[in-house]
Amino acid sequence: MPRHRTWAAAALLAVAAAVCVAPGAAAMTAASAPAGVSTAAADTASDAMNARATALVAQMTVEERAATVVMGHIGGTDPAALHAYMGSGLGGFILMGANIPDSEAALQRLTAALTIDPALPPLIAVDQEGGIVSRLNGDDYPASTTLKDRPVADATAAFAARGSLVARSGITVNFGTVADVTSDSGSFIYGRALGSDPQGAADRVAAATTAQEQFVASTLKHFPGHGAAPGDSHSAIPDSSMSLKEWRSTEAKPFEAGIDAGASLLMFGHLAYTAVDSAPASLSPAWHEIARDELGFDGIIVTDDLGMLLSSGDPAYADPVANGVAALAAGSDLLLMIAGSDAGTAGRMTAGIAAAVDSGSLSADRLEEAATRVVTLRLRLSAATAQWTPCPDCDPVD
């Protein structure tokens, strides 16, 4: 039975009480977002939204479906240039540091420009973990480097404030919850992990997920877990010989907790757990089946940056379009390509996906399934009506 939490279709869930944030920071609270939606009503609304997404995708050409499953990227802060780039019908855009202007107002204008059709806005994503990986200005809230040693309630407060900051900027997806776990302080992922033991990480990942999902679609990364696979996947394909049985009792726990808490997206890492599959998890049907059938995840599976596979230097992964098609065929729904990309990369990815369907090397049904998941989330997020206003009476976290 899928464990992904059902959202209310009418709006993002309102914060029941004012969000308390880090010392010296202004807390935020949601207004104009109805709370207390019954489970039955939410299920009915969810079914209606799924039906609408299915109908929209049924009307799309193969090329339009292919574009929908690509999350593009170009640099710069010119709203007009970004608007023109999104005119090809891409399903999403990821903001990197070079896309972030100095002021929040300028960022809001930029994110607004990414929308071509207001009835179906793209997914606008950012990596806002806080601390070591932080794109947005004004995120002074506690992050993984300290949260791993603090009470779980502190993770809730920090990520509620972080989620509000992201949402106020017009960003709808945060690739911000690191569910990897390691006790090795020498690991490159140690400083970004929310816990140094499986249970501690699981508790904080669940808290971060619940807090953010009130504001944005949150993401768990990097499945099936960097902790047991030493090395940096930005420049190599880390591997682990850990058995599936051991994985279930260790690395899996934070991901399972985040899924149970309602994470909207699950990011697959370029990590090879050779006891399960010699291929990177991002290209592995076996790992996609484990996420769906064993952990019960029914949201969007997104790849980590496919450009990282090119950076590994492995000739087997030298073709980014082939990597994208392989990830889709394995079970991913949304393809992310940043490193080594240019203004034409997303278009080439789209064309390659469509060509793979035409040749039969990628199932048309698989592409339709992926596009429907992406469109469903786009519709769900576009229905949100929450407004964020300062909360001057909130007490700061000590």
Side-chain angles (χ1 to χ4, degrees), residues 133-149:
V133 177
S134 190
R135 312 287 188 218
L136 303 184
N137 302 315
D139 187 346
D140 298 320
Y141 313 122
S144 54
T145 50
T146 58
L147 288 174
K148 59 165 51 77
D149 298 316

Side-chain angles (χ1 to χ4, degrees), residues 363-384:
S363 162
D365 289 344
R366 173 78 272 274
L367 176 58
E368 182 177 14
E369 177 186 50
T372 301
R373 283 202 182 103
V374 173
V375 170
T376 298
L377 182 59
R378 291 169 68 182
L379 289 173
R380 191 184 85 188
L381 293 172
S382 70

Side-chain angles (χ1 to χ4, degrees), residues 3 5 7 12-16 19 152-153 155-161 163-164 177 194 202-220 254 256-264 388:
R3 296 173 177 171
R5 177 171 58 81
W7 278 46
L12 291 169
L13 297 178
V15 183
V19 175
V152 174
T156 297
F159 277 92
S164 171
T177 311
L194 286 168
D203 292 343
R204 290 168 181 80
V205 165
T209 299
T210 301
Q212 289 178 90
E213 286 284 333
Q214 300 173 101
F215 302 92
V216 294
S218 71
T219 308
L220 307 171
E256 188 170 19
I259 290 170
D260 286 347
S264 295
W388 314 113

Side-chain angles (χ1 to χ4, degrees), residues 31-129:
S32 304
V37 179
S38 70
T39 301
D43 287 345
T44 299
S46 179
D47 289 344
M49 194 163 290
N50 291 339
R52 184 181 171 204
T54 299
L56 286 173
V57 172
Q59 296 170 6
M60 291 180 178
T61 65
V62 171
E63 289 76 13
E64 289 170 336
R65 293 176 184 179
T68 292
V69 302
V70 175
M71 177 167 276
H73 171 74
I74 56 172
T77 57
D78 179 3
L82 294 174
H83 184 80
Y85 174 76
M86 294 301 290
S88 61
L90 298 177
F93 187 91
I94 181 169
L95 298 163
M96 301 298 286
N99 298 121
I100 309 301
D102 292 336
S103 72
E104 185 173 83
L107 179 55
Q108 290 167 344
R109 289 192 292 272
L110 185 151
T111 54
L114 292 168
T115 293
I116 303 297
D117 178 5
L120 187 62
L123 301 177
I124 302 174
V126 71
D127 287 306
Q128 190 62 30
E129 301 171 16

Side-chain angles (χ1 to χ4, degrees), residues 86 94 285 298 321 324 347 349:
M86 294 301 290
I94 181 169
D298 64 357
V321 173
M349 186 73 73

Side-chain angles (χ1 to χ4, degrees), residues 29-395:
T29 183
S32 304
V37 179
S38 70
T39 301
D43 287 345
T44 299
S46 179
D47 289 344
M49 194 163 290
N50 291 339
R52 184 181 171 204
T54 299
L56 286 173
V57 172
Q59 296 170 6
M60 291 180 178
T61 65
V62 171
E63 289 76 13
E64 289 170 336
R65 293 176 184 179
T68 292
V69 302
V70 175
M71 177 167 276
H73 171 74
I74 56 172
T77 57
D78 179 3
L82 294 174
H83 184 80
Y85 174 76
M86 294 301 290
S88 61
L90 298 177
F93 187 91
I94 181 169
L95 298 163
M96 301 298 286
N99 298 121
I100 309 301
D102 292 336
S103 72
E104 185 173 83
L107 179 55
Q108 290 167 344
R109 289 192 292 272
L110 185 151
T111 54
L114 292 168
T115 293
I116 303 297
D117 178 5
L120 187 62
L123 301 177
I124 302 174
V126 71
D127 287 306
Q128 190 62 30
E129 301 171 16
I132 294 172
V133 177
S134 190
R135 312 287 188 218
L136 303 184
N137 302 315
D139 187 346
D140 298 320
Y141 313 122
S144 54
T145 50
T146 58
L147 288 174
K148 59 165 51 77
D149 298 316
R150 293 170 63 168
V152 174
D154 287 6
T156 297
F159 277 92
R162 187 163 289 123
S164 171
L165 176 69
V166 171
R168 293 196 328 263
S169 301
I171 300 167
T172 53
V173 174
N174 189 17
F175 295 149
T177 311
V178 175
D180 308 294
V181 56
T182 181
S183 59
D184 178 8
S185 61
S187 168
F188 97 99
I189 204 68
Y190 178 82
R192 296 166 59 192
L194 286 168
S196 54
D197 66 275
Q199 190 58 56
D203 292 343
R204 290 168 181 80
V205 165
T209 299
T210 301
Q212 289 178 90
E213 286 284 333
Q214 300 173 101
F215 302 92
V216 294
S218 71
T219 308
L220 307 171
K221 61 185 185 184
H222 310 79
F223 187 83
H226 252 301
D232 187 343
S233 57
H234 289 88
S235 56
I237 300 174
D239 65 84
S240 171
S241 61
M242 176 180 283
S243 70
L244 185 59
K245 181 179 180 180
E246 185 179 358
W247 174 83
R248 289 186 182 112
S249 64
T250 54
E251 309 295 310
K253 284 188 174 296
F255 290 100
E256 188 170 19
I259 290 170
D260 286 347
S264 295
L265 299 97
L266 178 63
M267 179 179 284
F268 269 48
H270 306 308
L271 316 167
Y273 278 66
T274 55
V276 175
D277 194 334
S278 60
S282 52
L283 309 182
S284 167
W287 277 113
H288 284 77
E289 289 174 7
I290 289 168
R292 296 291 188 198
D293 299 339
E294 187 169 326
L295 271 61
F297 182 68
D298 64 357
I300 288 178
I301 291 178
V302 57
T303 68
D304 202 349
D305 175 14
L306 290 169
M308 293 159 61
L309 285 173
L310 276 67
S311 301
S312 73
D314 189 326
Y317 308 117
D319 182 348
V321 173
N323 294 338
V325 171
L328 269 176
S332 288
D333 305 305
L334 186 61
L335 307 178
L336 184 62
M337 178 74 188
I338 307 169
S341 66
D342 56 34
T345 298
R348 292 190 292 273
M349 186 73 73
T350 295
I353 294 166
V357 172
D358 290 342
S359 71
S361 59
L362 176 66
S363 162
D365 289 344
R366 173 78 272 274
L367 176 58
E368 182 177 14
E369 177 186 50
T372 301
R373 283 202 182 103
V374 173
V375 170
T376 298
L377 182 59
R378 291 169 68 182
L379 289 173
R380 191 184 85 188
L381 293 172
S382 70
T385 58
Q387 303 292 321
W388 314 113
T389 56
C391 175
D393 297 329
C394 290
D395 294 324

